[in-house]
Amino acid sequence: MSVDAVGTTRRGRGARKAIRQTRDISMLPALKRGIPLTEPMSAERIAQIDNASMDILEQVGVVFRDPIALEDWRRAGADVRGETVHLDRALVRSLIQSIPSSFTYHARNPANNLPFGKDHAIFVPMTGAPFVRDLDDVRRNPTLEDLANFHKLSHMSPALHSSAHHIVEPYDHPISQRHLRITYSSMKHSDKTFMGMTTSPRNAQDVLEMSALLFGEDFMQTHPVVTGNINGNSPLVWDETMLGALRAFGQYNQPVLCSPFVLGGANTPASVAPTVAQLNAEALSALAYSQVVRKGMPAIYGHYLATVSMKSGAPMAGTPEISLMNMMIGQMARFYDVPWRTSNTLGGSKTFDAQAGYESASTMMAVLMSGANYIWHSAGWNEAGMHCSMAKFVVDAEQCAMGYRMAQGVNWDDFEDAMQAVRDVGPGGHYLGHPHTLENFQRAFFMPELFDNNSIEQWQAEGSVEITERALKQVRQMLGEYEEPKLDAGVNDALLDYIARREREIPAADALNQSF
Amino acid sequence: MSVDAVGTTRRGRGARKAIRQTRDISMLPALKRGIPLTEPMSAERIAQIDNASMDILEQVGVVFRDPIALEDWRRAGADVRGETVHLDRALVRSLIQSIPSSFTYHARNPANNLPFGKDHAIFVPMTGAPFVRDLDDVRRNPTLEDLANFHKLSHMSPALHSSAHHIVEPYDHPISQRHLRITYSSMKHSDKTFMGMTTSPRNAQDVLEMSALLFGEDFMQTHPVVTGNINGNSPLVWDETMLGALRAFGQYNQPVLCSPFVLGGANTPASVAPTVAQLNAEALSALAYSQVVRKGMPAIYGHYLATVSMKSGAPMAGTPEISLMNMMIGQMARFYDVPWRTSNTLGGSKTFDAQAGYESASTMMAVLMSGANYIWHSAGWNEAGMHCSMAKFVVDAEQCAMGYRMAQGVNWDDFEDAMQAVRDVGPGGHYLGHPHTLENFQRAFFMPELFDNNSIEQWQAEGSVEITERALKQVRQMLGEYEEPKLDAGVNDALLDYIARREREIPAADALNQSF
């Protein structure tokens, strides 16, 4: 199989044109919020969390399981004892001051560039699913073709601002080489922003070199083009893989998400405010380290956050405590004046059922009220991240568009015209034929495509089609209508050459089918 | 059939005790919010809405299709032209000043009394469904037994603060007499607060006389015990049925919800802020009239609010504009210092699927952020109110408990102990056995009973049970465990005598089976 054929459905241009519809796939600009933030903490409570986190950093310390990081910290003036780094609060405060509070996140199509940070937010699809619920709602291991399909759907969903990276894990390609194909698929199938794999420092290096082929290395040194996620091991540990990937991103001055991985009650105290205090200490330690690596490199306050059922040990989503913690974490990130990343539309259900709906919508509302800048896992996540559902992917993407509309706030520009309409219509009338209605109805009230609000009689006459089936029908339509935003031919060749060379260099022995 | 047998499942006390479990059915107190309100309007925007609403009341006027109300308005100094009442803003402001901004809503069990208004909120189940999705998830016309079952579930759901009234329409009893049986069922099967039917002034009178048998007429004159809903016909019309019922409630000094019935875009302008301006004018006109009827009677700013799909004409729920309008309406009600009622967990789906989950959770989050005091339709609503689902009822009730927890805000009382736990556990440890965890895990993180967060392997091993089936299993368990909070025998006899007398007086000819 040639690299070029990976994940690309071949079809004649005529056939594609014939089924093309009028779907508007124009990306929405980065969300600029027009409603107030929900801030449950007073300035005193923020200071209490800050103080507790700084106490943790000073007294308990953070383990950096990485000789280079320990040496870096020594040079930076930290108190290093074995693998444990004790960080003085003055040092932490001084270091994080150089983190950019906002920047422009560049896409290969400049029309898709995104203002990032402050009161802007972007929606990024889920990543990392070891299973897909596919076009037939069958749960199975994903392939590169599945991944390509998700990248296409991301490209065509107006409220998604990124094609991310490994939305699903492509099990039909050797694990050691997978990051190359994943990165290429993100770049090829969408001209929105994307993410870079951080599964090892060398893999990160590959992603960054491929990004340099696409954007130019000089450009990258002054323009963010790819985000990498750096997970922590709560409580209070960062490992060599993640720290090495962070340094790779630092070399190219690219943004990293510094994300403690929190299972509240298992790797944090069983309590909301203390969990935030620990998470905050963890995030600060990595944010500070990013500035040791490269002063001024973009870094984003991050976290993955579930609460754990004390009955079963299972991670839970959409719980009231996760909502509260998101609100609080948003306040802490703003207190330090750094952008922040959270997770969206998390579902813990095995199927795309009502549970998934409640959990996803609760999460999205909380995240929007909290003012997150980088709203990750915004489409497809179910079964606690074990699968990405094609049906849920497009429903979530539409929910993002609805959440976007809410967070934009209220439009007032037709107010006086509408008041005239009230006078025209008068008591007991209706507005359906009024000029103000005819002029405004298209934009006035969001009409979700994937929700059925018809009468039961009409719904039954149309075959009693449930939401999963409706959503999968839309997925098929979208994939049929998809048109590739072609890479520049020279860049494409350079990327394919890079992949071919690296695949010759990287042993593939450990690989194919191992995880099926 | 004797009245006493209506809706009551007969079973020996021994059998009931044998299956009794440890379910805690204690009602949660009225929610007292501990997180900030979401207020998208500045003081200037609030003034703009207020001014526009007052312009409508002065210039367009409101139709009161009711000779008594027109005469009342004339006496109160309004400018009455035919059926249209033009209300000067000074008159409106003066009238609504006597509306109590808070009061205690009394239940027959004083332990279930509720502080009402200001920063308190209560959850009330849905009402008015012409269909039930029953214990087998079959959609059919409901009976008095179904209604009794919903009243029992309301009684046993900690986060529900009311048994409401006709949660479902009992089609097995003559429509003309139904309100008597509905009221008795509310009173008998639960000792929480309840609602009173307003389907005619005479029906309201019956409800109030039955309430007087339960609470005493003198007590009612100074204590709210039953709420009645008064729907408006948007745009800008109130009818004789509703106004007559309002006056009946006024005679007993009982609270009325003054609820414009808004289908945004059909009976209001196709725009968010203008819809709020019209709805606000409508609510103000009824609130003001309540104080003409009886100065100082409790009245609640209300509304039913859907947006209309301009493609199909169908009402939609969970849309971004409904969320925004709830936030704005909350601001207006607080501006006038009156309590307000909204609607919760609205779903438009025909089944209990993901759509119902997204819509319900989006609505609940918006309503909680908006600070509503009387959160109606909080359990069971689906298919745009056409059916009440037993499965959804208990899931929604659990969601109310989760929303309640979120809106309470953050608990700080164990903060220092938990910081000691962080020091004890240290980097790389875990908290599962720590004394702080053992002491706090039960209350720390909400563990929903009806959501399955186990692994797919465990879920499959347990039979791949989906949420509807899980919820219906819980409904059966709850109904099996139900114990009636017995009415005082004398009161019960008086209520049954009242019903028997009124059923002799009211013709039943129009009735049975007519709507099946």
Side-chain angles (χ1 to χ4, degrees):
Chain A
M1 182 170 64
S2 80
V3 171
D4 193 31
V6 170
T8 309
T9 307
R10 295 274 167 214
R11 181 190 292 127
R13 179 164 287 272
R16 198 161 57 225
K17 276 201 174 148
I19 56 161
R20 193 180 306 158
Q21 299 197 343
T22 54
R23 181 182 306 282
D24 184 1
I25 64 162
S26 316
M27 193 183 81
L28 292 166
L31 169 63
K32 188 168 179 1
R33 41 183 311 121
I35 58 172
L37 297 157
T38 302
E39 305 200 309
M41 289 194 292
S42 63
E44 290 70 29
R45 290 300 188 191
I46 291 173
Q48 186 174 351
I49 294 283
D50 173 64
N51 185 56
S53 300
M54 294 300 185
D55 282 349
I56 292 171
L57 293 174
E58 289 176 350
Q59 298 162 22
V60 183
V62 179
V63 165
F64 285 75
R65 293 201 175 122
D66 176 52
I68 300 174
L70 293 171
E71 189 49 42
D72 287 342
W73 273 125
R74 266 184 215 102
R75 270 202 312 276
D79 173 11
V80 180
R81 309 177 203 166
E83 288 188 316
T84 305
V85 180
H86 294 260
L87 292 168
D88 181 82
R89 66 192 67 201
L91 177 63
V92 173
R93 290 198 207 289
S94 156
L95 284 169
I96 64 172
Q97 273 189 350
S98 51
I99 296 173
S101 57
S102 64
F103 54 80
T104 300
Y105 186 5
H106 289 261
R108 71 169 161 101
N109 177 355
N112 291 335
N113 289 353
L114 301 164
F116 186 83
K118 297 288 191 187
D119 56 355
H120 285 101
I122 65 171
F123 293 108
V124 180
M126 82 159 286
T127 69
F131 292 90
V132 60
R133 273 197 183 269
D134 68 11
L135 275 163
D136 301 307
D137 200 31
V138 172
R139 185 181 183 276
R140 58 170 172 78
N141 278 129
T143 63
L144 279 165
E145 186 176 354
D146 294 317
L147 178 62
N149 283 338
F150 280 117
H151 286 150
K152 294 174 185 176
L153 294 174
S154 305
H155 180 63
M156 299 177 76
S157 298
L160 298 183
H161 295 105
S162 168
S163 59
H165 45 14
H166 62 147
I167 294 175
V168 289
E169 273 293 328
Y171 278 77
D172 56 344
H173 200 70
I175 192 168
S176 57
Q177 303 172 349
R178 218 176 265 168
H179 62 288
L180 301 164
R181 306 292 185 112
I182 291 166
T183 305
Y184 181 66
S185 182
S186 303
M187 291 174 166
K188 174 187 173 69
H189 295 109
S190 172
D191 58 8
K192 300 184 179 178
T193 62
F194 59 91
M195 297 184 69
M197 301 293 289
T198 51
T199 37
S200 77
R202 187 65 189 86
N203 289 357
Q205 185 70 28
D206 280 332
V207 169
L208 291 156
E209 290 182 19
M210 289 174 73
S211 299
L213 294 174
L214 186 54
F215 289 96
E217 188 171 342
D218 287 351
F219 185 86
M220 283 174 73
Q221 289 295 341
T222 46
H223 299 83
V225 303
V226 56
T227 48
N229 185 55
I230 308 301
N231 270 335
N233 306 321
S234 298
L236 299 165
V237 177
W238 298 92
D239 70 26
E240 190 165 12
T241 300
M242 293 282 103
L243 295 167
L246 184 154
R247 287 190 294 269
F249 272 71
Q251 280 186 328
Y252 284 81
N253 208 19
Q254 294 302 304
V256 286
L257 318 178
C258 301
S259 305
F261 190 94
V262 166
L263 300 169
N267 63 19
T268 71
S271 189
V272 165
T275 292
V276 172
Q278 180 190 307
L279 182 159
N280 186 54
E282 293 164 346
L284 285 173
S285 67
L287 289 166
Y289 181 62
S290 73
Q291 303 307 299
V292 172
V293 169
R294 179 168 182 160
K295 188 170 178 175
M297 78 175 274
I300 296 158
Y301 187 128
H303 62 89
Y304 172 81
L305 182 54
T307 53
V308 167
S309 167
M310 293 291 164
K311 288 181 204 151
S312 65
M316 303 184 293
T319 62
E321 294 82 14
I322 295 174
S323 297
L324 288 170
M325 287 192 267
N326 267 306
M327 296 169 191
M328 296 165 79
I329 292 165
Q331 289 189 269
M332 295 316 298
R334 287 188 291 276
F335 177 71
Y336 301 118
D337 197 21
V338 292
W340 72 289
R341 162 253 154 153
T342 189
S343 306
N344 194 12
T345 59
L346 303 186
S349 191
K350 269 50 72 182
T351 63
F352 188 35
D353 65 354
Q355 174 181 341
Y358 282 98
E359 290 171 330
S360 299
S362 297
T363 310
M364 182 174 316
M365 290 292 280
V367 159
L368 287 170
M369 302 316 299
S370 303
N373 303 114
Y374 192 101
I375 309 181
W376 197 1
H377 302 315
S378 281
W381 180 292
N382 210 356
E383 199 194 327
M386 288 297 288
H387 79 250
C388 183
S389 154
M390 295 202 111
K392 187 169 187 289
F393 194 93
V394 292
V395 172
D396 284 340
E398 185 169 78
Q399 289 294 304
C400 289
M402 291 172 77
Y404 184 107
R405 180 79 73 91
M406 183 191 77
Q408 281 185 299
V410 183
N411 168 49
W412 293 84
D413 63 12
D414 66 329
F415 192 79
E416 292 310 321
D417 288 351
M419 287 302 105
Q420 184 55 48
V422 175
R423 283 186 281 271
D424 293 346
V425 169
H430 71 81
Y431 289 79
L432 295 175
H434 191 277
H436 176 270
T437 306
L438 298 176
E439 197 167 316
N440 288 279
F441 78 90
Q442 293 272 18
R443 65 165 197 169
F445 300 122
F446 198 102
M447 291 176 270
E449 277 188 87
L450 294 169
F451 285 180
D452 187 301
N453 286 300
N454 292 329
S455 68
I456 194 162
E457 292 77 14
Q458 189 171 343
W459 179 73
Q460 287 168 338
E462 290 170 0
S464 303
V465 184
E466 302 232 18
I467 190 168
T468 300
E469 199 183 329
R470 292 199 301 273
L472 290 174
K473 185 179 167 201
Q474 174 158 314
V475 170
R476 285 189 199 94
Q477 280 177 353
M478 289 172 74
L479 294 176
E481 295 164 21
Y482 172 75
E483 292 192 59
E484 188 179 314
K486 291 280 186 196
L487 284 161
D488 170 86
V491 169
N492 191 47
D493 288 345
L495 288 169
L496 295 179
D497 287 349
Y498 186 90
I499 294 170
R501 173 171 69 78
R502 289 292 294 141
E503 292 197 346
R504 283 194 302 275
E505 293 169 5
I506 301 172
D510 60 343
L512 202 58
N513 290 331
Q514 69 168 7
S515 302
F516 269 79
Chain B
M1 183 168 66
S2 82
V3 171
D4 192 33
V6 171
T8 308
T9 308
R10 296 274 167 213
R11 181 190 292 124
R13 178 163 287 272
R16 197 160 57 225
K17 276 203 174 147
I19 55 162
R20 194 180 304 158
Q21 300 195 343
T22 53
R23 182 182 306 283
D24 184 0
I25 64 163
S26 315
M27 193 183 81
L28 292 165
L31 169 63
K32 188 167 178 0
R33 35 181 320 119
I35 58 173
L37 297 157
T38 302
E39 304 200 309
M41 291 194 290
S42 63
E44 291 70 28
R45 291 300 188 191
I46 292 172
Q48 187 174 351
I49 294 283
D50 173 65
N51 186 56
S53 300
M54 294 299 185
D55 283 350
I56 292 170
L57 293 173
E58 289 176 350
Q59 297 161 22
V60 182
V62 179
V63 165
F64 285 76
R65 292 198 176 125
D66 175 53
I68 299 174
L70 294 171
E71 189 49 40
D72 287 341
W73 273 125
R74 266 186 215 103
R75 270 201 313 275
D79 172 11
V80 180
R81 309 176 202 166
E83 287 188 316
T84 305
V85 180
H86 294 261
L87 293 168
D88 182 82
R89 65 191 69 200
L91 177 63
V92 172
R93 291 199 205 289
S94 155
L95 283 169
I96 64 172
Q97 273 188 351
S98 52
I99 296 173
S101 57
S102 65
F103 54 79
T104 299
Y105 185 5
H106 289 261
R108 70 168 161 102
N109 177 355
N112 292 335
N113 289 353
L114 301 165
F116 186 82
K118 298 288 190 186
D119 57 355
H120 285 102
I122 65 172
F123 293 108
V124 180
M126 83 160 286
T127 67
F131 292 90
V132 60
R133 273 198 183 269
D134 67 12
L135 273 164
D136 301 307
D137 201 32
V138 172
R139 184 181 182 275
R140 58 170 171 77
N141 279 129
T143 63
L144 279 166
E145 185 175 355
D146 294 317
L147 178 63
N149 283 338
F150 281 117
H151 286 150
K152 294 174 186 177
L153 294 175
S154 305
H155 180 63
M156 298 178 77
S157 298
L160 298 182
H161 295 104
S162 167
S163 59
H165 45 13
H166 62 149
I167 294 175
V168 288
E169 273 293 327
Y171 278 76
D172 57 344
H173 199 72
I175 191 168
S176 57
Q177 303 172 349
R178 219 175 263 168
H179 62 288
L180 301 164
R181 304 291 184 115
I182 291 166
T183 304
Y184 181 66
S185 182
S186 304
M187 291 173 168
K188 173 185 173 70
H189 295 109
S190 172
D191 58 8
K192 299 184 179 179
T193 62
F194 60 91
M195 297 184 69
M197 301 291 290
T198 51
T199 37
S200 77
R202 188 63 189 87
N203 289 358
Q205 185 70 29
D206 280 331
V207 169
L208 292 156
E209 289 183 20
M210 289 174 73
S211 299
L213 294 174
L214 186 53
F215 290 95
E217 188 171 341
D218 287 350
F219 184 85
M220 284 174 71
Q221 288 297 340
T222 46
H223 299 83
V225 304
V226 56
T227 49
N229 185 56
I230 307 301
N231 270 334
N233 306 322
S234 297
L236 298 165
V237 177
W238 297 92
D239 70 26
E240 191 166 12
T241 300
M242 293 282 102
L243 295 168
L246 184 155
R247 287 190 294 270
F249 272 71
Q251 281 186 326
Y252 284 81
N253 208 21
Q254 293 302 303
V256 286
L257 318 177
C258 301
S259 305
F261 190 95
V262 166
L263 300 168
N267 63 20
T268 71
S271 190
V272 164
T275 292
V276 173
Q278 179 189 310
L279 181 159
N280 187 53
E282 293 165 347
L284 285 172
S285 68
L287 289 167
Y289 181 61
S290 73
Q291 303 306 300
V292 172
V293 167
R294 179 169 183 159
K295 187 169 178 175
M297 77 176 274
I300 296 158
Y301 188 128
H303 62 89
Y304 172 81
L305 180 54
T307 54
V308 168
S309 167
M310 293 292 165
K311 289 182 201 151
S312 65
M316 301 184 294
T319 63
E321 295 82 14
I322 294 174
S323 297
L324 288 170
M325 287 192 267
N326 267 306
M327 296 168 191
M328 297 165 77
I329 292 165
Q331 289 190 269
M332 296 315 299
R334 288 187 292 274
F335 176 71
Y336 301 118
D337 197 21
V338 291
W340 73 288
R341 161 253 154 152
T342 188
S343 306
N344 195 10
T345 59
L346 303 186
S349 191
K350 268 51 72 183
T351 63
F352 188 35
D353 66 353
Q355 174 181 340
Y358 282 99
E359 290 171 331
S360 299
S362 298
T363 309
M364 182 175 313
M365 290 292 279
V367 158
L368 287 171
M369 302 315 299
S370 303
N373 303 113
Y374 192 101
I375 309 181
W376 197 0
H377 301 315
S378 281
W381 180 291
N382 210 356
E383 198 195 328
M386 288 299 287
H387 79 248
C388 183
S389 155
M390 294 202 114
K392 188 170 186 288
F393 194 93
V394 291
V395 172
D396 284 341
E398 185 169 76
Q399 289 294 304
C400 290
M402 291 172 76
Y404 184 106
R405 180 80 72 93
M406 182 191 77
Q408 280 185 301
V410 183
N411 168 49
W412 293 84
D413 62 14
D414 65 330
F415 192 79
E416 292 310 323
D417 288 349
M419 287 303 105
Q420 184 54 49
V422 175
R423 281 186 282 270
D424 294 344
V425 170
H430 72 79
Y431 289 78
L432 295 175
H434 192 276
H436 176 270
T437 307
L438 297 176
E439 196 167 319
N440 289 278
F441 78 91
Q442 293 271 18
R443 64 165 198 170
F445 300 122
F446 198 102
M447 292 177 268
E449 276 189 88
L450 294 169
F451 284 0
D452 186 301
N453 286 300
N454 292 330
S455 69
I456 193 162
E457 291 77 14
Q458 188 170 345
W459 179 73
Q460 287 167 338
E462 290 170 359
S464 302
V465 184
E466 302 233 18
I467 191 168
T468 300
E469 199 183 329
R470 290 199 301 272
L472 290 175
K473 185 178 168 200
Q474 174 158 315
V475 170
R476 285 189 200 94
Q477 279 177 354
M478 289 172 74
L479 294 177
E481 295 163 22
Y482 172 74
E483 291 192 59
E484 189 178 312
K486 291 281 186 195
L487 285 161
D488 170 87
V491 169
N492 190 48
D493 288 346
L495 288 168
L496 295 179
D497 286 349
Y498 186 90
I499 295 170
R501 174 173 68 80
R502 289 292 294 140
E503 291 196 347
R504 284 192 303 273
E505 293 169 4
I506 301 172
D510 60 342
L512 204 58
N513 290 330
Q514 67 169 7
S515 301
F516 269 79

